[in-house]
Amino acid sequence: MTNFAENLATFDDVDHLQAIELYSHDGEIAALIENQAGSQGSLKLYHYLWEKYGEISVEAAKEGLVLYAEHTEDARQHPGKHPNIDRLQEVIDLGLPLTVETIPVGDA
């Protein structure tokens, strides 16, 4: 089984992105994942899922939890510690996908 760092190495670079905005089913902003220290791994993972599935669907969220690898179990044991993982679990639990908008570097 691979770990999160090994999984990240397989994803495309996201240097061209400033952030990703996630929107709930009712069009409200659910989250902003910025391209900065501490969230770059999540940005890469969510971008990968968006490119593969076109949204953060239940299927995408399930794959995301597998790809977060060792961090997924830590998130289950410590709710709130890993909000980007918690969000994927919420997509699965509620059955409601998130739409994605990418913000390229240089856009405000």
Side-chain angles (χ1 to χ4, degrees):
M1 179 179 277
T2 58
N3 66 33
F4 184 55
E6 292 168 330
N7 292 334
L8 278 182
T10 68
F11 303 150
D12 289 339
D13 220 8
V14 291
D15 291 341
H16 64 288
L17 293 178
Q18 177 178 314
I20 285 178
E21 290 178 330
L22 301 170
Y23 291 89
S24 65
H25 67 284
D26 59 4
E28 297 293 318
I29 189 156
L32 175 71
I33 303 174
E34 296 182 280
N35 194 351
Q36 62 185 17
S39 62
Q40 288 171 328
S42 288
L43 181 70
K44 284 181 85 168
L45 187 143
Y46 272 78
H47 184 259
Y48 162 80
L49 294 172
W50 170 69
E51 284 193 320
K52 182 173 180 179
Y53 295 96
E55 66 181 0
I56 307 302
S57 63
V58 170
E59 186 178 1
K62 287 178 180 178
E63 182 176 355
L65 292 180
V66 171
L67 294 170
Y68 268 116
E70 71 277 8
H71 298 294
T72 298
E73 185 57 33
D74 189 51
R76 287 185 177 130
Q77 292 180 14
H78 304 97
K81 182 178 178 183
H82 302 279
N84 293 319
I85 299 173
D86 296 342
R87 188 175 304 106
L88 294 178
Q89 187 62 57
E90 185 175 308
V91 167
I92 294 166
D93 292 345
L94 298 177
L96 298 172
L98 299 171
T99 57
V100 176
E101 183 175 325
T102 59
I103 302 171
V105 170
D107 284 6

